[in-house]
Amino acid sequence: QKEVEQNSGPLSVPEGAIASLNCTYSDRGSQSFFWYRQYSGKSPELIMFIYSNGDKEDGRFTAQLNKASQYVSLLIRDSQPSDSATYLCAVNPGGYNKLIFGAGTRLAVHP
Amino acid sequence: DADVTQTPRNRITKTGKRIMLECSQTKGHDRMYWYRQDPGLGLRLIYYSFDVKDINKGEISDGYSVSRQAQAKFSLSLESAIPNQTALYFCATGATSGAYNEQFFGPGTRLTVL
């Protein structure tokens, strides 16, 4: 079982819709959770992090964390074609100073 | 100016050659990381360093070595390159003072081993 799992996609949504990206993790002791956006051929860019159960909002982005169910999600409201990218979920396992990355979900927003 | 730089950005080399990838940062971070990215496999950690005298192996360190020349510089070497080391390589940095272990990535080096 992979430590951090994401659906590879592609997830296709129309412009203006809400895109929902999900991630599950195996280490119950994980402490902090990150969402990175990666455009094709470019480096990952940190867009959100969350460490407490519940929701965290930043502009059009909302990260949701449920530690009991071991999942973290990213909602993108009013999706734009410029949001088309691969979204990487990363988890900081408890007691370790490093991140474990999922393989990413490719999002395609079509006009 | 970019906070994390990598050189070269692209490199084509032949099997058996030694190659060095370099990473420099102006973020003042003490932690530095090397990852490789392959299609469908995500980012995998090769080596990481928490200060100049600290070097740690990641999940896929075989065939690689690193050098932390200064707080701001972290180099990755392939002593004898092989074709399955063809990948996109990223350097990342992070701060010990960062509460949640967030990391920031350089632009990447695309390496092709023929």
Side-chain angles (χ1 to χ4, degrees):
Chain A
Q1 181 185 5
K2 292 182 180 178
E3 295 182 70
V4 179
E5 294 207 45
Q6 297 180 254
N7 188 317
S8 62
L11 173 65
S12 183
V13 300
E15 185 174 356
I18 296 175
S20 178
L21 304 160
N22 300 313
C23 171
T24 59
Y25 60 94
S26 59
D27 186 339
R28 282 196 169 274
S30 297
Q31 298 177 340
S32 50
F33 308 84
F34 303 84
W35 284 100
Y36 286 82
R37 177 176 62 201
Q38 186 176 24
Y39 294 112
S40 181
K42 303 296 184 181
S43 60
E45 173 193 7
L46 180 64
I47 54 172
M48 290 283 291
F49 71 88
I50 188 168
Y51 57 91
S52 296
N53 276 328
D55 295 359
K56 178 181 179 182
E57 187 175 318
D58 184 0
R60 296 187 296 114
F61 299 98
T62 299
Q64 299 176 317
L65 175 60
N66 184 322
K67 289 187 177 180
S69 299
Q70 295 176 244
Y71 82 78
V72 57
S73 61
L74 179 69
L75 301 179
I76 306 175
R77 290 181 299 281
D78 188 25
S79 295
Q80 301 298 309
S82 59
D83 294 325
S84 298
T86 296
Y87 289 79
L88 305 174
C89 173
V91 174
N92 175 214
Y96 296 94
N97 294 308
K98 53 185 178 181
L99 298 180
I100 307 298
F101 284 84
T105 297
R106 188 159 62 90
L107 173 67
V109 181
H110 54 86
Chain B
D1 289 340
D3 291 331
V4 185
T5 58
Q6 292 183 235
T7 56
R9 295 294 312 280
N10 287 282
R11 181 71 182 266
I12 299 174
T13 191
K14 295 182 178 180
T15 297
K17 294 291 187 181
R18 183 180 188 275
I19 184 167
M20 179 181 287
L21 309 182
E22 298 187 345
C23 177
S24 294
Q25 53 111 349
T26 58
K27 299 180 78 69
H29 288 168
D30 45 1
R31 299 178 180 180
M32 298 187 74
Y33 307 81
W34 275 105
Y35 292 89
R36 67 176 279 176
Q37 188 174 40
D38 300 275
L41 295 179
L43 287 161
R44 293 183 292 167
L45 184 62
I46 306 172
Y47 271 95
Y48 60 104
S49 169
F50 289 163
D51 65 38
V52 174
K53 296 181 180 179
D54 176 78
I55 301 290
N56 304 281
K57 292 183 177 181
E59 62 180 297
I60 55 162
S61 59
D62 287 349
Y64 301 94
S65 62
V66 291
S67 174
R68 185 85 183 263
Q69 301 96 323
Q71 187 191 38
K73 296 184 183 294
F74 193 35
S75 299
L76 175 72
S77 293
L78 288 68
E79 296 301 326
S80 180
I82 56 177
N84 75 1
Q85 291 178 313
T86 293
L88 192 53
Y89 289 83
F90 290 105
C91 173
T93 72
T96 299
S97 59
Y100 310 110
N101 200 35
E102 58 268 41
Q103 295 178 18
F104 303 91
F105 285 81
T109 295
R110 186 169 296 280
L111 175 65
T112 302
V113 183
L114 301 177

